[in-house]
PDB file of all heavy atoms in Angstrom:
ATOM      1  N   LEU A  44       5.590  30.048 -22.746  1.00  0.00           N
ATOM      2  CA  LEU A  44       5.863  31.447 -22.419  1.00  0.00           C
ATOM      3  C   LEU A  44       7.056  31.974 -23.198  1.00  0.00           C
ATOM      4  O   LEU A  44       7.068  33.138 -23.619  1.00  0.00           O
ATOM      5  CB  LEU A  44       6.101  31.597 -20.910  1.00  0.00           C
ATOM      6  CG  LEU A  44       4.876  31.333 -20.016  1.00  0.00           C
ATOM      7  CD1 LEU A  44       5.274  31.422 -18.547  1.00  0.00           C
ATOM      8  CD2 LEU A  44       3.760  32.321 -20.328  1.00  0.00           C
ATOM      9  N   GLN A  45       8.066  31.125 -23.398  1.00  0.00           N
ATOM     10  CA  GLN A  45       9.208  31.547 -24.207  1.00  0.00           C
ATOM     11  C   GLN A  45       8.791  31.804 -25.649  1.00  0.00           C
ATOM     12  O   GLN A  45       9.232  32.774 -26.278  1.00  0.00           O
ATOM     13  CB  GLN A  45      10.289  30.480 -24.148  1.00  0.00           C
ATOM     14  CG  GLN A  45      10.977  30.360 -22.798  1.00  0.00           C
ATOM     15  CD  GLN A  45      11.937  29.193 -22.716  1.00  0.00           C
ATOM     16  OE1 GLN A  45      11.979  28.357 -23.632  1.00  0.00           O
ATOM     17  NE2 GLN A  45      12.711  29.107 -21.645  1.00  0.00           N
ATOM     18  N   GLY A  46       7.911  30.936 -26.172  1.00  0.00           N
ATOM     19  CA  GLY A  46       7.409  31.137 -27.527  1.00  0.00           C
ATOM     20  C   GLY A  46       6.597  32.415 -27.639  1.00  0.00           C
ATOM     21  O   GLY A  46       6.711  33.153 -28.633  1.00  0.00           O
ATOM     22  N   VAL A  47       5.776  32.688 -26.621  1.00  0.00           N
ATOM     23  CA  VAL A  47       4.982  33.912 -26.614  1.00  0.00           C
ATOM     24  C   VAL A  47       5.875  35.135 -26.593  1.00  0.00           C
ATOM     25  O   VAL A  47       5.637  36.129 -27.304  1.00  0.00           O
ATOM     26  CB  VAL A  47       4.026  33.923 -25.408  1.00  0.00           C
ATOM     27  CG1 VAL A  47       3.400  35.300 -25.224  1.00  0.00           C
ATOM     28  CG2 VAL A  47       2.938  32.870 -25.586  1.00  0.00           C
ATOM     29  N   ALA A  48       6.928  35.081 -25.775  1.00  0.00           N
ATOM     30  CA  ALA A  48       7.860  36.217 -25.698  1.00  0.00           C
ATOM     31  C   ALA A  48       8.522  36.471 -27.044  1.00  0.00           C
ATOM     32  O   ALA A  48       8.662  37.631 -27.466  1.00  0.00           O
ATOM     33  CB  ALA A  48       8.901  35.950 -24.614  1.00  0.00           C
ATOM     34  N   ARG A  49       8.933  35.398 -27.724  1.00  0.00           N
ATOM     35  CA  ARG A  49       9.563  35.573 -29.042  1.00  0.00           C
ATOM     36  C   ARG A  49       8.563  36.149 -30.038  1.00  0.00           C
ATOM     37  O   ARG A  49       8.911  37.013 -30.862  1.00  0.00           O
ATOM     38  CB  ARG A  49      10.101  34.233 -29.541  1.00  0.00           C
ATOM     39  CG  ARG A  49      11.330  33.745 -28.804  1.00  0.00           C
ATOM     40  CD  ARG A  49      11.987  32.588 -29.551  1.00  0.00           C
ATOM     41  NE  ARG A  49      11.116  31.438 -29.613  1.00  0.00           N
ATOM     42  CZ  ARG A  49      11.111  30.455 -28.718  1.00  0.00           C
ATOM     43  NH1 ARG A  49      11.926  30.508 -27.673  1.00  0.00           N
ATOM     44  NH2 ARG A  49      10.307  29.416 -28.849  1.00  0.00           N
ATOM     45  N   THR A  50       7.305  35.675 -29.975  1.00  0.00           N
ATOM     46  CA  THR A  50       6.284  36.173 -30.893  1.00  0.00           C
ATOM     47  C   THR A  50       6.009  37.648 -30.665  1.00  0.00           C
ATOM     48  O   THR A  50       5.893  38.430 -31.617  1.00  0.00           O
ATOM     49  CB  THR A  50       4.989  35.366 -30.725  1.00  0.00           C
ATOM     50  OG1 THR A  50       5.252  33.985 -30.970  1.00  0.00           O
ATOM     51  CG2 THR A  50       3.920  35.848 -31.694  1.00  0.00           C
ATOM     52  N   ARG A  51       5.904  38.042 -29.413  1.00  0.00           N
ATOM     53  CA  ARG A  51       5.650  39.453 -29.096  1.00  0.00           C
ATOM     54  C   ARG A  51       6.797  40.331 -29.560  1.00  0.00           C
ATOM     55  O   ARG A  51       6.585  41.428 -30.089  1.00  0.00           O
ATOM     56  CB  ARG A  51       5.414  39.620 -27.601  1.00  0.00           C
ATOM     57  CG  ARG A  51       4.121  38.981 -27.106  1.00  0.00           C
ATOM     58  CD  ARG A  51       3.940  39.150 -25.616  1.00  0.00           C
ATOM     59  NE  ARG A  51       3.769  40.541 -25.247  1.00  0.00           N
ATOM     60  CZ  ARG A  51       3.604  40.958 -23.975  1.00  0.00           C
ATOM     61  NH1 ARG A  51       3.630  40.080 -22.991  1.00  0.00           N
ATOM     62  NH2 ARG A  51       3.443  42.233 -23.718  1.00  0.00           N
ATOM     63  N   ALA A  52       8.033  39.860 -29.357  1.00  0.00           N
ATOM     64  CA  ALA A  52       9.193  40.640 -29.785  1.00  0.00           C
ATOM     65  C   ALA A  52       9.224  40.766 -31.303  1.00  0.00           C
ATOM     66  O   ALA A  52       9.519  41.843 -31.839  1.00  0.00           O
ATOM     67  CB  ALA A  52      10.468  39.976 -29.268  1.00  0.00           C
ATOM     68  N   CYS A  53       8.903  39.672 -32.007  1.00  0.00           N
ATOM     69  CA  CYS A  53       8.878  39.705 -33.462  1.00  0.00           C
ATOM     70  C   CYS A  53       7.791  40.649 -33.967  1.00  0.00           C
ATOM     71  O   CYS A  53       8.009  41.431 -34.892  1.00  0.00           O
ATOM     72  CB  CYS A  53       8.667  38.293 -34.011  1.00  0.00           C
ATOM     73  SG  CYS A  53       8.674  38.183 -35.810  1.00  0.00           S
ATOM     74  N   PHE A  54       6.617  40.572 -33.346  1.00  0.00           N
ATOM     75  CA  PHE A  54       5.497  41.421 -33.742  1.00  0.00           C
ATOM     76  C   PHE A  54       5.829  42.885 -33.549  1.00  0.00           C
ATOM     77  O   PHE A  54       5.525  43.738 -34.390  1.00  0.00           O
ATOM     78  CB  PHE A  54       4.254  41.039 -32.933  1.00  0.00           C
ATOM     79  CG  PHE A  54       3.055  41.900 -33.203  1.00  0.00           C
ATOM     80  CD1 PHE A  54       2.279  41.703 -34.333  1.00  0.00           C
ATOM     81  CD2 PHE A  54       2.702  42.908 -32.325  1.00  0.00           C
ATOM     82  CE1 PHE A  54       1.168  42.495 -34.591  1.00  0.00           C
ATOM     83  CE2 PHE A  54       1.597  43.698 -32.570  1.00  0.00           C
ATOM     84  CZ  PHE A  54       0.827  43.490 -33.702  1.00  0.00           C
ATOM     85  N   ALA A  55       6.473  43.201 -32.412  1.00  0.00           N
ATOM     86  CA  ALA A  55       6.811  44.596 -32.120  1.00  0.00           C
ATOM     87  C   ALA A  55       7.856  45.138 -33.079  1.00  0.00           C
ATOM     88  O   ALA A  55       7.886  46.340 -33.365  1.00  0.00           O
ATOM     89  CB  ALA A  55       7.310  44.716 -30.683  1.00  0.00           C
TER      90      ALA A  55
END
Side-chain angles (χ1 to χ4, degrees):
L44 293 176
Q45 290 174 351
V47 169
R49 288 193 296 268
T50 302
R51 292 179 65 181
C53 182
F54 177 79

